Amino acid sequence: MAGGDVLAVDAVACAAIGLAADHIEYLRMAQEAGIGTIDLEQIEICGDSLAEVQVHLRTAPTASKAFSALFPEVTIIDGNACSGCSGSLYLSLKTAKEQGLLDRIPDLKLVVGAGIAEVPAGEHILCLGNCTKPLSAAHHLPGCPFISIEFCDLLRTTS
Ligand code: SF4
């Protein structure tokens, strides 16, 4: 795809894979800043029509949904953790599972990300990363992101 208006090119590319460009914040902001248009009504498409090339892609599951499927031994409560804690969480769970640590604590709930307002109910709650520090949970692993070796050590020593 090519065009003289970079936003228009992005808007058409979005439409070609089933996304609405005005649902994508940076494209909307760029249009508001006058960089170009994402309004398909104002864009002239040459060559193949949108209908001819359109595919509908499915969005990938969030990291926490994917991890919940991979590690059903734990409940993940995700307050929109960034890629730092999401990466640490995956490595931690993978390592802990390989070391047979995930079954040690029943009903373990892991809280990660800044968007959780209060500590969830339950006996075995572990809050991960500096973003969850304000929750003042009994068990908190600091770090930005938290360290997977420390996560495994904590599981090993907590009963
Ligand atoms: S503690 Fe740091 S790495 Fe973890 S979610 Fe918060 S900002 Fe991201």
Side-chain angles (χ1 to χ4, degrees), residues 14 18 21 25 31 41 49 51-53 64 73 77 89 93 103 109 115 124 126 131-132 137 140-141 144 153 155 159:
C14 286
E25 189 179 11
Q31 178 177 253
E41 299 288 320
S49 70
E52 286 173 289
V53 299
S64 59
E73 301 90 339
I77 299 164
L89 185 57
L93 291 169
D103 295 327
K109 290 190 176 114
H124 299 126
L126 174 55
C131 280
T132 61
H140 175 246
L141 198 56
C144 185
D153 286 347
L155 292 194
S159 53

Side-chain angles (χ1 to χ4, degrees), residues 33-45:
I35 292 170
T37 184
I38 57 173
D39 181 357
L40 290 178
E41 299 288 320
Q42 295 182 31
I43 300 170
E44 181 189 357
I45 299 174

Side-chain angles (χ1 to χ4, degrees), residues 2 8 15-16 31-32 36-37 40 50 54-55 64 72 76 80 85 94 101 110 116 120 130 137 140 154-157:
Q31 178 177 253
E32 284 163 14
T37 184
L40 290 178
L50 260 182
Q54 203 157 40
V55 290
S64 59
I76 298 168
N80 285 325
C85 271
K94 183 173 176 286
L101 299 172
L110 303 173
I116 305 296
N130 289 354
H140 175 246
L154 195 66
L155 292 194
R156 202 174 282 110
T157 54

Side-chain angles (χ1 to χ4, degrees), residues 78-86 88 112-114 128-133 140-146:
D78 181 14
N80 285 325
C82 76
S83 56
C85 271
S86 294
S88 272
V112 66
L128 301 167
N130 289 354
C131 280
T132 61
K133 192 174 180 197
H140 175 246
L141 198 56
C144 185
F146 71 95

